[in-house]
Amino acid sequence: MARFCITGSAGFIGSSLARYLVSQGHEVIGIDNLITGRLENLQDVRDEMEFHCLDVRDRDSVTPLLKGVDVVFHEAALPSVPKSILDPVASHGANIEGTFALLLAARDAGVRRVVYAASSSAYGESPSLPKHEEMPTSPISPYAVQKLAGEHYMQSFARVYGMETVSLRYFNVFGPYQAADSPYSGVLAKFITGMLAQTAPTIYGDGSQSRDFTYIDNVIAANMLAASAAANSVSGKVYNVACGQRYSLLETCNLLMPITGYQCQPIFAAARNGDIQHSMADISKARRDLGYEPSVSFEEGLRKTVAWYSQNDGAANRPAVSIAI
């Protein structure tokens, strides 16, 4: 049994990690300031973990909590491209200052490894597909810049302080517990809950834009592999976490129609500033170094997610936990 800390533990990905770790009998410490996270996401494991309502920038409070922790999963962020454009100051504070403060606290507490939630948005609008970790980065939005800066801090702390760090570039994560009631919510959460309510989904742009949608179970598996891999193989490195396939938003709508029972056409709106057109990952590096293999396909993930929202009618209307697309 190991001792883990999850920042952003009341969010979509953080709470999913917490549920998995608790199910495996590990000790779990959760940290979340509840600005975007919801305690309801942890209701089934709240009594089996230690939770602290804190901002990761509060080093004096966070550092003592990390004493004796083996691995920190750093999921805390304001994860939204549009929000970072509208309010770059708040986004900068959470995503850059928060990551820096967390690394200092982990260093001072003697944490062995930090696994960082990086973002595929770091690649920017490069036309080259699939995206691989050795290609130049070209972030567009403040959010993308901030998440890339976090990667550089991870690499710096690995080289300068000898801390083990691994950065995982998530590609469009979706699944249960992702809220859909905010303009910053994940596109699939909004599509699915809208279709189940027989409301036309809104596509920003012409619908040809494509994404490498990645079901949450694949992301949890990648985090666990990153936490346990040999340090000399992975420390200071960056890995794509995805399925290695892409689907356009129109294709996605067509796949969801028979699953949700919705048959009408989507609504089209103007493309959003800062969004990229196409994204697809090369996951060969994660396969080689981590032993990562996505176990849940896109279509299976859609079915699982639709089933969860169908059984949790109120989930889409709770305060949002957003994730950039």
Side-chain angles (χ1 to χ4, degrees):
M1 182 175 66
R3 187 169 174 84
F4 295 93
C5 177
I6 306 168
T7 69
S9 60
F12 163 43
I13 298 175
S15 65
S16 300
L17 269 168
R19 278 186 296 278
Y20 177 80
L21 291 170
V22 167
S23 75
Q24 299 302 302
H26 296 295
E27 292 185 50
V28 179
I29 299 171
I31 296 173
D32 200 301
N33 61 12
L34 300 180
I35 290 178
T36 58
R38 296 184 288 110
L39 277 179
E40 290 88 345
N41 284 336
L42 295 171
Q43 61 184 353
D44 50 347
V45 293
R46 181 68 181 84
D47 294 336
E48 301 173 77
M49 61 179 288
E50 181 182 328
F51 178 80
H52 298 269
C53 184
L54 287 172
D55 192 300
V56 292
R57 287 170 285 188
D58 182 357
R59 284 176 54 203
D60 289 342
S61 298
V62 171
T63 302
L65 299 178
L66 300 185
K67 295 286 187 181
V69 166
D70 299 295
V71 177
V72 173
F73 294 108
H74 182 39
E75 306 294 326
L78 286 180
S80 169
V81 167
K83 190 168 187 176
S84 75
I85 293 171
L86 290 173
D87 189 359
V89 174
S91 187
H92 177 96
N95 297 338
I96 292 184
E97 294 173 17
T99 295
F100 179 61
L102 183 277
L103 280 169
L104 290 174
R107 181 202 63 181
D108 295 345
V111 170
R112 175 175 62 83
R113 182 171 298 186
V114 175
V115 180
Y116 171 61
S119 171
S120 62
S121 62
Y123 291 114
E125 193 57 273
S126 167
S128 299
L129 292 176
K131 311 293 186 185
H132 61 85
E133 295 89 345
E134 283 68 43
M135 68 189 297
T137 52
S138 184
I140 298 172
S141 66
Y143 169 76
V145 171
Q146 294 152 13
K147 296 303 283 185
L148 181 58
E151 288 184 22
H152 290 309
Y153 265 128
M154 293 291 155
Q155 292 166 340
S156 172
F157 271 63
R159 296 186 64 177
V160 175
Y161 301 112
M163 178 186 294
E164 298 173 17
T165 67
V166 185
S167 297
L168 302 179
R169 284 181 183 163
Y170 298 159
F171 281 68
N172 303 93
V173 188
F174 73 99
Y177 292 90
Q178 186 176 29
D181 65 338
S182 163
Y184 308 124
S185 294
V187 63
L188 289 185
K190 295 183 77 66
F191 278 10
I192 291 170
T193 53
M195 287 180 167
L196 287 173
Q198 298 301 304
T199 301
T202 298
I203 292 177
Y204 296 94
D206 63 7
S208 65
Q209 59 268 46
S210 61
R211 298 288 184 268
D212 194 334
F213 293 109
T214 310
Y215 186 66
I216 184 64
D217 285 5
N218 298 325
V219 173
I220 301 307
N223 273 273
M224 297 311 299
L225 290 166
S228 60
N232 59 358
S233 299
V234 303
S235 186
K237 294 184 180 180
V238 177
Y239 296 95
N240 290 337
V241 174
C243 289
Q245 295 179 310
R246 64 187 174 109
Y247 292 82
S248 73
L249 297 189
L250 284 175
E251 288 173 328
T252 300
C253 280
N254 289 333
L255 286 171
L256 282 171
M257 284 181 180
I259 304 174
T260 60
Y262 181 81
Q263 296 300 325
C264 298
Q265 294 302 307
I267 297 170
F268 292 88
R272 298 190 303 188
N273 186 26
D275 279 353
I276 63 173
Q277 187 66 17
H278 300 292
S279 181
M280 183 177 75
D282 179 339
I283 57 174
S284 58
K285 184 179 177 183
R287 281 189 170 119
R288 182 191 71 222
D289 292 1
L290 301 177
Y292 168 73
E293 192 67 45
S295 61
V296 181
S297 69
F298 178 48
E299 292 187 41
E300 182 184 356
L302 288 180
R303 289 191 292 271
K304 288 176 177 286
T305 306
V306 169
W308 185 83
Y309 281 119
S310 297
Q311 296 164 9
N312 294 270
D313 294 336
N317 298 316
R318 297 170 187 160
V321 181
S322 62
I323 190 159
I325 68 167

